Amino acid sequence: MDPKLTEVNQMFARFKAALARNDLNTCEILLSQLKVQLTKFPSLPPLFQQTPNAVEELKLARDIYEHAVVLSVKLEDQDAFERDFCQLKPYYMDTCGIIPPSPEEYPILGLNLLRLLVQNRIAEFHTELELLPVKALEHPCIKHAVEFEQSFMEGAYNRVLSARQAVPHETYVYFMDLLAKTIRDEIAGCSEKGYDSLSISDAKQMLMFNSDQELHQYITEEHPEWEIKNGFVFFQKAKESQPCKEIPSLQLINQTLSYARELERIV
Amino acid sequence: MFTSRCRRLDSSNHTSETRDDTPKPSHLHLGGGVRTVMAAVATVSSASGLLAMLQEPAAELKLHALASLNSVVHLFWPEISTSVPTIESLYEDEEFDQRQLAALVVSKVFYYLGELNDSLSYALGAGPLFDVGDDSDYAHALLAKALDEYASIKTRAFKAAEEEENIDPRLEAIVERMLEKCILDGKYQQAMGMSVECRRLDKLEEAIVRCDNIQGALSYCINLSHQYVNHREYRFEVLRCLVKIYQTLPNPDYLSICQCLMFLGEPEPVASILDKLLSGNEDDVLLAYQIAFDLYENENQAFLLNVRNRLTSQTSLPPNPDNGTSLQDDQTTNVDTGTEPAGDVQMSDDTTTPNGSAHTVDPNQVAHADRLSKIKGILSGETSIQLTLQFLYSHNRSDLLILKTIKQAVEMRNSVCHSATICANAIMHAGTTVDTFLRENLEWLSRATNWAKFSATAGLGVIHRGHLQQGRALMAPYLPQSGAVGGGSPYSEGGALYALGLIHANHGEGIKQFLRESLRNTNAEVIQHGACLGLGLAALGTADEEIYEDIKNVLYTDSAVAGEAAGIGMGLLMVGTASEKASEMLAYAHDTQHEKIIRGLSLGIALTVYGREEEADTLIEQMTRDQDPILRYGGMYALALAYSGTANNKAIHQLLHFAVSDVSDDVRRTAVMALGFVLYNEPEQTPRIVSLLSESYNPHVRYGAALAVGISCAGTGLSEAISLLEPLTSDVVDFVRQGALIAMAMVMIQTNESFDSRVGTFRRQLEKIILDKHEDTMSKMGAILASGILDAGGRNVTIKLLSRNKHDKLTAVVGLAVFSQFWYWYPLLYFISLAFSPTALIGLNSDLKVPKFEFLSHAKPSLFDYPKPTTQQTTTSAVKLPTAILSTYAKAKSRAKKDAESKANQEKTTEDASGSTSGKVAKTQEKEKDAEAMQVDNAAEKKAPEPEPTFQLLTNPARVIPTQEKFIKFLEGSRYVPVKPAPSGFVLLRDLQPTEAEVLALTDAPSTAAASTGNTAAAAGQQGSGSSAMAVDDEPQPPQPFEYTS
């Protein structure tokens, strides 16, 4: 076997061991080395050269990136997750037929869907969903994310929160925690539009805070434009309507007249 | 060179298509057989992975991502464009070691986004990574952009005359790399074009010197500099550079060098080249003569005069420096031969004497002196005028029957048509000295009164154009008698002076003095009018101060008639000098009350800026902003003449603006017409540009459009031009029809029916208009003039505004400009004769004699043949008698043909055995028969059974029309060989068998004929009893022997 491939394999084994030990720092260092090593394989995307080791290399690279995604979840690093997932994606999308599909594929795709949901990137969520085959929707991981999205859209926030217990995969927990925050933002946005003001207690209940303290903190951090007065939260300021633009009638009239004049002149 | 650019626009479409071609993500293939998929699927569907990799902290990964992105940017630029800021920040990151790669990627993305400026600035950042040799759309577009940018910066720097401190060195480096690459790849023309455009004469020189075909490259560059370099100063620089290269060559192409030097206006080196050649061997002398002829063809009188004077001073100074003539020559340089005695014959004597052939016995010296006098003769134009005159006289093929028809059709009382007919006759016989028609119709002619008489007399000048020796004698009966109260009317006297001007146009040394005296001695405004025009013509472009003063005195009498001519005369005198005088004239134009004078002056002012391009802008601005529409109208002419033949965009833009926005119809009409002058170097453009204007609701604009096409496409027979004019010839407004008919004739001149069938249609249309009783006078006049122009100069001339070297022909352009004034003043019609140039190939030996020999025209004879002579069509009998005529005619013809062939086989150059002459005889016979029988059927002639040959033997000198020139070949084994390639016009011949006796053609028959003409004219003019002596002379040869040989 190719010495380079062996070397990467060995390094990857050490990475996996470290991951099992939960030695995240070592993992990070090893991972970045692994990634650099991977750039030296010509069979990987975007080149896809047909080398004799192509299948092995592709499989290995995919494995590495899958682990990288898992690692980023463990590190609770959303940027890294996105980065790694994007790099992993070509292995799922473009390599079918060369290497067999990975068992981890759907869990990770589901994870990504969940992430998009958490970051409230609904459009991208649907784009991703469209790219999946019908068959994939059956998979519990994907189904989980899709159901979430539906509840989320319906406004059945309770159902979302209560579903935290029934995660299909252990890595999902991290995102489920984040989901509560997303939902709160969503509710805050709705109430801003829906009400002129709310009593503090109502607002507390609505935004699922346990104490006034937490509510105050949330408002000062996230919505400084809200006003707390006389035991009420006022959303007035946010509603300041934009002045509607006036039609530049004089300019239009002038233009039309000059067109007419030019038309007359045209021979 | 300009082909590589201009693909940039559709590049974005390309990419989006290619993107669609890439296989879609995968899942569709799941069910498919693995083996097939293995081979097919291995492409990326998105760049998001790579973009994500860019965010990685490790530099190697970033690098890898960038490199990969660079290779897929053409597929995924839409995706990448969202991440451009990231890549840009990489480029700006000082520590990142592959900044240039980042710049390249960004540049490509911007290119696909259509942001060429951004793209270029990042490409510059990419430095050496930007590959000039890349064959992609991206590289092409950016290179074009870079070149444009560089060229425009350079141009700006040139205009502001500042140092090039603000040029990005990276940009310069790219351009230089590009040029270098072109040179290495052997794309020399591209390299030359680019370096000319970028004003890098150093690179131009390099490209030319390294080229494998230096001569070709140089001539390409000369072409380039005339066609694409708009800026006059810069063009001069390019030409200077070319001359420099020419001179370093081992055996320089003197012909081209001298052409360049003429453009540059440097007579000194030309004179020294000619001098050197004249002292060389026989071949060199021939070359010198050829150069002189070519220079003469460009009609730059002032320049030729300078060369001539320098030649004299160079050679005559060493042997006898104290000779009085050299002094005189110095004087003449400044005062322009004003002091030379009148009479061209005397002048040529004059120039031979200083060489002291009388007191030196050295044969070499004598030979040299002889050569010198010959070359001076050529440069002065005498030789070529003489030869042209002889050619036009001997080959005259004008069709008197057409005139007869017109004469009969035109009502006697209609003076407009009457004088138009006289004018048509003059044009038809321009330069042929054949005035048979006038002689035969003296009584009819005498109906011309007042100004019509003026015109009729002036017409004689057109007929005898170039008859320098006899000109004055010919006109003598009409000229004002000094002192005595002449019997002639002032109209004929004035006309005669004008005629003298036309005869001596641009060669007026001999006649100037006489004209000046006549001008001073008269107070009659009609005579002043004629004299001013005559003087202007004779002293065209010489800027003679004394003449100017004389004419100015006439102007200040503030007489409308004389003042108008004075204005034009001053302009003619000062053509192309851009002198201070223009402002003087402009001031007077503001002072005077007479519209005529203002009009004359404004045309005169326009003439002074002829060919000055940007230099004239101030004056043009001043005129076009004027309140007075007549001055604005002059401004249009100024634009036309200053930018004549440059196709300058700015000028075209300005003219189009005036054509649609001015309030005065006159100005609009002139503006459109002026387009014709600006565009005559690219005749194909004109129909396209004026096509909209030709459909204008305003008849003046339509008229202008017709004339614009007529002027710029004159003599080309261009199909688009004809298509554009055709509907205008049946316009609803009479003067538009007139303009269209005249323009059509100008376009179709020398085109025959087998070349374009519409010529025949047009001829029939003219005939119909002339014969139609109910036709408007205006369009009838147009039709009469058109028939004159169509057969101008005995069917041996064409209208040419460009010489064969693509140089503007000053006389021709000026002639047409003044001609177009006939709208206001019919006598100015005759100026069109200045634009005629004979279509002849005249071969000359070293004695400047015309030897007889044959050469080949490798095309069907019918394509370039003379049009068939018209026949009188009596309505019914034409059908009845065709067979009888046909049989004799066909017999005669076949006999003639057989004879010609047999003679050709014998290859004997005995007298008039050539096909063309015998053909001519056959035709003249036919003509005689027609005259008797009054009929022949044209259709019957077509049935002649013989298939047409694909070539034709022509005998020197022969009629070779411009389109035919490319078919001309010299026979192999011919005794004479031309000294320059692509023979046309005057061609010097090298004699391969110098010992054998030569048979000469064009002997001095015309001069004797001319003498007799002169006498008879004198007699006829007074008494009206003109004998038919001329007609006898006109007869070809006595009956040919071949009729009886077979």
Side-chain angles (χ1 to χ4, degrees), chain B residues 28 132 163 191 205 299 310 330 335 386 396 403 425 440 459 497 573 628 648 698 715 719 794 827 842 851 884 959:
Chain B
L28 300 173
V132 287
E163 285 313 301
E205 202 176 326
E299 296 183 343
R310 290 225 157 71
D330 285 350
V335 196
Q386 175 105 16
N396 174 31
L403 279 171
N425 168 55
E440 283 170 0
L497 291 174
L573 192 63
D628 189 344
N648 184 303
N698 184 328
S719 176
I842 303 179
R959 174 190 194 253

Side-chain angles (χ1 to χ4, degrees), chain A residues 14-266:
Chain A
R14 270 188 282 150
F15 169 81
K16 277 201 274 203
L19 192 64
R21 285 200 308 275
N22 239 358
D23 183 356
L24 297 184
N25 278 336
T26 324
C27 285
E28 249 184 304
I29 295 161
L30 278 171
L31 180 64
S32 66
Q33 285 171 0
L34 276 170
K35 281 185 182 167
V36 174
Q37 291 297 325
L38 283 182
T39 59
K40 298 186 178 130
F41 293 152
S43 61
L44 303 189
L47 297 175
F48 286 123
Q49 278 179 22
Q50 304 258 345
T51 56
N53 295 327
V55 175
E56 294 300 318
E57 285 171 5
L58 280 171
K59 268 197 206 158
L60 178 62
R62 189 178 61 187
D63 218 9
I64 290 173
Y65 276 112
E66 279 172 353
H67 279 84
V69 169
V70 174
L71 176 68
S72 68
V73 174
K74 287 202 170 161
L75 286 167
E76 305 193 348
D77 183 346
Q78 291 192 36
D79 288 340
F81 179 92
E82 184 171 359
R83 222 158 51 214
D84 293 328
F85 177 76
C86 282
Q87 292 177 61
L88 174 61
K89 215 171 144 191
Y91 295 93
Y92 292 151
M93 296 300 192
D94 306 335
T95 60
C96 65
I98 300 176
I99 49 174
S102 154
E104 294 295 317
E105 178 169 353
Y106 291 126
I108 285 183
L109 284 176
L111 203 57
N112 182 48
L113 289 175
L114 207 58
R115 173 186 67 97
L116 291 173
L117 213 52
V118 166
Q119 292 173 342
N120 212 1
R121 284 151 75 175
I122 304 298
E124 283 169 69
F125 175 90
H126 284 284
T127 317
E128 289 292 324
L129 207 56
E130 287 304 316
L131 290 175
L132 295 177
V134 187
K135 209 171 62 181
L137 296 179
E138 313 278 303
H139 193 277
C141 291
I142 306 289
K143 214 165 151 187
H144 181 248
V146 173
E147 276 167 10
F148 259 162
E149 195 265 344
Q150 276 163 2
S151 327
F152 196 57
M153 289 297 108
E154 285 163 16
Y157 298 130
N158 295 339
R159 215 184 314 154
V160 178
L161 291 175
S162 62
R164 190 178 180 271
Q165 280 72 32
V167 286
H169 200 270
E170 72 273 22
T171 47
Y172 281 43
V173 179
Y174 164 61
F175 284 115
M176 296 307 291
D177 290 340
L178 290 176
L179 207 52
K181 167 102 173 49
T182 312
I183 288 172
R184 183 174 297 133
D185 286 344
E186 197 68 5
I187 295 171
C190 291
S191 24
E192 202 175 61
K193 292 278 182 296
Y195 305 97
D196 289 341
S197 63
L198 269 180
S199 71
I200 288 188
S201 58
D202 288 345
K204 194 172 66 183
Q205 200 192 343
M206 192 86 87
L207 294 174
M208 297 172 295
F209 284 117
N210 298 324
S211 67
D212 288 5
Q213 193 76 41
E214 279 173 331
L215 179 67
H216 280 295
Q217 201 189 342
Y218 173 77
I219 290 177
T220 42
E221 272 173 23
E222 300 288 324
H223 296 281
E225 74 274 16
W226 294 358
E227 214 177 343
I228 305 173
K229 230 176 11 186
N230 311 330
F232 280 89
V233 180
F234 289 94
F235 307 112
Q236 289 297 352
K237 270 195 210 159
K239 283 193 175 174
E240 275 173 19
S241 60
Q242 290 183 332
C244 82
K245 278 188 186 156
E246 207 182 328
I247 297 172
S249 47
L250 211 59
Q251 195 192 340
L252 283 178
I253 291 169
N254 274 332
Q255 268 173 9
T256 318
L257 282 179
S258 77
Y259 288 153
R261 209 166 34 240
E262 295 287 323
L263 268 178
E264 256 174 29
R265 258 192 215 163
I266 291 174

